[in-house]
Amino acid sequence: MRIAIIGAGFSGLAAAWNLLNLKNQVTVFDLFSEGASAIAAGLLHPYVGEEGRRSLFATEAMQKTAELLHIATRSLREDVCREGIIRIAQNEKQRKAYKNHCVIFKDVIDLGKDRFLVKSGKTVFCKRYLQGMRLAIAEKGGQCIAEKILDLEQLKNFDQIVVAAGASIRDFPEFEQLKLKFIKGQVLTCEIPSDLQIERSLVGKGYIATSHKPEICHVGATYECHDLTGTVDLLHTQNLLFTKASSFYPAIWKLKPIDCSSAIRVMRQGHYLPIVTKISSRVWVITAMGSRGLLYHAYFGEKLAQVIEGTITPPFQELMH
Ligand SMILES: Cc1cc2nc3c(=O)[nH]c(=O)nc-3n(C[C@H](O)[C@H](O)[C@H](O)COP(=O)(O)OP(=O)(O)OC[C@H]3O[C@@H](n4cnc5c(N)ncnc54)[C@H](O)[C@@H]3O)c2cc1C
């Protein structure tokens, strides 16, 4: 089949890779400028969310993401992630949840003072990872074209179309019936002074994520921000994010912000699982990765490819809305 994919973020590239593996001809369209994946902090672990619970399908999803990270690393010939994340329990509920994970899943180690090392966690260097995946896709015969698709009619020569357009899904009237919500996220890029060292990403009330450069980190938090425009106010954001992060990392005020980026997270209303579904005879959508883009894109990208190919088996079908 000839398949067009709109969007080269985590979802679009995972779908592309898996569709290529099933011997399809795949073309990915993106202007490579406006997605959430390129600015994501890169935190990948199974315990996303306020309560620190293990996310649904976490084991399979972590495994699938690890496979794609390996593929991107191989094509790029550079590391695209770093192992281990430290989660700081902020309340009794989280403390209990993490102590439980230490016993049940054994991928968490209690470091004391409310600090828990999530051994299975990783910090992904998102821009590098996306670059590595684009290379891997090209090596496998897929095409990535720098073009913005304004109307699905432009893709009438393709047998199937996958829309993985992130927040820009709002530009396509075909998807109005999906129950989505949109939340802006902001992330500060900061210089770490030479007298400080941040070896592993820290996640508490907000997060400090390491990068591929030891002197640079990203500071962010998930919070409701009703202004959905691309505007960012560095000083205001610094105040907000540093205040949150100071609860688990008091030295935060020594970091020097050098840039601030923003993008929109797309979430499903009422549940945190993404949406993977068929919209019409040849149009599919993969969206609503929320804050779990890195956890879920590879797993659901593979499911989408299988369902397009017709090889899907229940119970996955029940998850499609
Ligand atoms: C500040 C911030 C920090 C985050 N941190 C993390 C994190 O640490 N860990 C984590 O797991 N998740 C994180 N997330 C969430 C994560 O970024 C998203 O879940 C994920 O990026 C969604 O991927 P996607 O491919 O579905 O969408 P996107 O990444 O938004 O990709 C959509 C792509 O489609 C392209 N596109 C849109 N319209 C068109 C069109 N008409 N034609 C062609 N191309 C088009 C866009 O340019 C874009 O590249 C964060 C999000 C934000 C905003």
Side-chain angles (χ1 to χ4, degrees):
M1 280 188 285
R2 293 192 64 210
I3 302 183
I5 298 181
I6 303 179
F10 300 149
S11 308
L13 294 181
W17 176 259
N18 284 289
L19 285 161
L20 279 166
N21 274 341
L22 294 170
K23 309 268 179 273
N24 294 290
Q25 248 179 287
V26 176
T27 309
V28 185
F29 296 91
D30 199 319
L31 268 187
F32 309 110
S33 57
E34 49 195 54
S37 303
I39 69 144
L43 301 169
L44 163 65
H45 63 97
Y47 305 110
V48 186
E50 260 300 292
E51 297 183 357
R53 286 209 200 120
R54 195 170 170 88
S55 301
L56 288 168
F57 306 109
T59 306
E60 309 86 308
M62 287 293 288
Q63 174 62 33
K64 288 292 160 197
T65 300
E67 284 171 26
L68 290 194
L69 290 172
H70 175 71
I71 285 158
T73 305
R74 203 177 52 197
S75 288
L76 195 62
R77 299 204 178 113
E78 276 183 312
D79 284 341
V80 301
C81 64
R82 178 171 302 148
E83 306 291 321
I85 281 181
I86 294 177
R87 202 60 225 243
I88 300 111
Q90 300 286 303
N91 52 45
E92 190 49 34
K93 222 175 198 171
Q94 289 183 358
R95 200 168 294 125
K96 250 176 117 174
Y98 279 101
K99 284 189 186 285
N100 225 12
H101 301 328
C102 293
V103 179
I104 296 175
F105 300 109
K106 300 193 168 56
D107 65 335
V108 178
I109 296 176
D110 189 346
L111 301 175
K113 295 191 179 154
D114 280 340
R115 296 191 163 226
F116 296 88
L117 170 65
V118 183
K119 283 190 293 175
S120 61
K122 293 178 177 36
T123 306
V124 177
F125 312 139
C126 294
K127 287 199 175 80
R128 274 195 183 183
Y129 169 52
L130 293 169
Q131 196 190 346
M133 281 309 297
R134 289 200 298 268
L135 280 174
I137 285 166
E139 283 160 12
K140 229 184 165 55
Q143 264 193 303
C144 289
I145 295 183
E147 185 180 337
K148 184 166 180 148
I149 301 300
L150 300 172
D151 188 328
L152 298 188
E153 263 303 293
Q154 281 172 255
L155 305 173
K156 59 176 183 283
N157 294 333
F158 289 86
D159 302 311
Q160 300 290 329
I161 300 169
V162 172
V163 179
S168 302
I169 195 166
R170 292 171 296 179
D171 300 344
F172 296 91
E174 289 84 350
F175 306 104
E176 267 166 8
Q177 81 271 29
L178 296 179
K179 293 198 164 42
L180 300 173
K181 58 179 183 172
F182 299 90
I183 296 178
K184 184 168 164 179
Q186 304 193 99
V187 66
L188 285 173
T189 302
C190 299
E191 269 174 14
I192 305 170
S194 53
D195 60 326
L196 282 185
Q197 260 192 337
I198 303 175
E199 276 168 15
R200 286 211 173 93
S201 296
L202 302 163
V203 184
K205 219 177 195 177
Y207 53 79
I208 303 171
T210 55
S211 78
H212 66 281
K213 293 183 183 163
E215 72 281 11
I216 298 289
C217 67
H218 301 289
V219 179
T222 303
Y223 59 94
E224 298 262 349
C225 174
H226 297 288
D227 161 28
L228 291 185
T229 66
T231 50
V232 284
D233 175 342
L234 194 135
L235 264 182
H236 174 74
T237 310
Q238 177 188 5
N239 234 339
L240 193 96
L241 297 179
F242 277 21
T243 305
K244 279 177 189 277
S246 62
S247 65
F248 60 89
Y249 190 73
I252 189 86
W253 298 99
K254 287 185 165 186
L255 303 185
K256 183 176 164 217
I258 51 172
D259 193 18
C260 181
S261 317
S262 80
I264 311 283
R265 287 185 181 87
V266 186
M267 343 258 295
R268 175 204 284 225
Q269 287 177 18
H271 206 290
Y272 65 74
L273 281 175
I275 295 176
V276 178
T277 197
K278 190 173 189 168
I279 294 292
S280 66
S281 59
R282 61 184 198 106
V283 179
W284 302 81
V285 64
I286 176 164
T287 189
M289 292 282 154
S291 300
R292 292 173 173 81
L294 283 168
L295 178 64
Y296 282 147
H297 71 294
Y299 179 71
F300 283 95
E302 184 184 56
K303 293 292 176 203
L304 173 65
Q306 290 169 343
V307 82
I308 291 176
E309 201 67 18
T311 58
I312 195 77
T313 51
F316 177 67
Q317 213 111 29
E318 291 157 23
L319 287 172
M320 312 226 311
H321 290 84

